[in-house]
């Protein structure tokens, strides 16, 4: 398992378009991907799960991955979250 914390820089958080982009990018990896936020674990490949988590701008989330391409997935998704501003 590989994981990394990241600050959500998008002022609207992971809602609508940013969540959709996260799920699309997550789905390109073979490993299992999840987000840890406020003591909950959310499937990183589930649009409904991410939207339901209520991740707002300025929050810190942990992106976790487990599988063959776990490190590449986490680093790629951290970069996506860091560079999604709105």
């Amino acid at each position: 398992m590989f994981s990394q914390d990241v600050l959500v820089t998008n002022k609207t958080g992971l809602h609508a378009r940013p969540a959709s982009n996260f799920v699309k990018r997550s789905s390109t990896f073979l490993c299992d991907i999840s987000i840890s936020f406020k003591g909950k674990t959310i499937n990183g490949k589930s649009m409904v799960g991410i939207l339901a988590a209520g991740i707002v701008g300025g929050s810190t989330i942990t992106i976790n991955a487990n599988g063959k391409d776990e490190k590449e997935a986490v680093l790629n998704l951290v970069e996506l979250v860091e560079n999604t501003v709105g």
Side-chain angles (χ1 to χ4, degrees):
M1 177 177 258
F2 187 79
S3 63
Q4 186 172 331
D5 292 341
V6 61
L7 177 66
V8 178
T9 56
N10 186 318
K11 62 184 172 187
T12 62
L14 287 183
H15 295 283
R17 185 169 293 144
S20 175
N21 291 339
F22 189 95
V23 170
K24 285 178 188 174
R25 182 89 52 101
S26 293
S27 297
T28 66
F29 296 99
L30 299 173
C31 60
D32 294 325
I33 297 171
S34 63
I35 297 171
S36 298
F37 178 65
K38 290 189 175 181
K40 297 179 185 175
T41 301
I42 302 110
N43 181 345
K45 297 182 180 182
S46 168
M47 181 74 167
V48 172
I50 293 173
L51 291 175
I55 301 169
V56 297
S59 300
T60 298
I61 61 172
T62 304
I63 301 173
N64 312 290
N66 190 21
K68 186 176 180 176
D69 52 356
E70 62 190 30
K71 186 172 183 179
E72 179 186 357
V74 170
L75 295 176
N76 193 290
L77 292 166
V78 164
E79 181 182 2
L80 175 69
V81 172
E82 288 178 335
N83 293 313
T84 301
V85 291

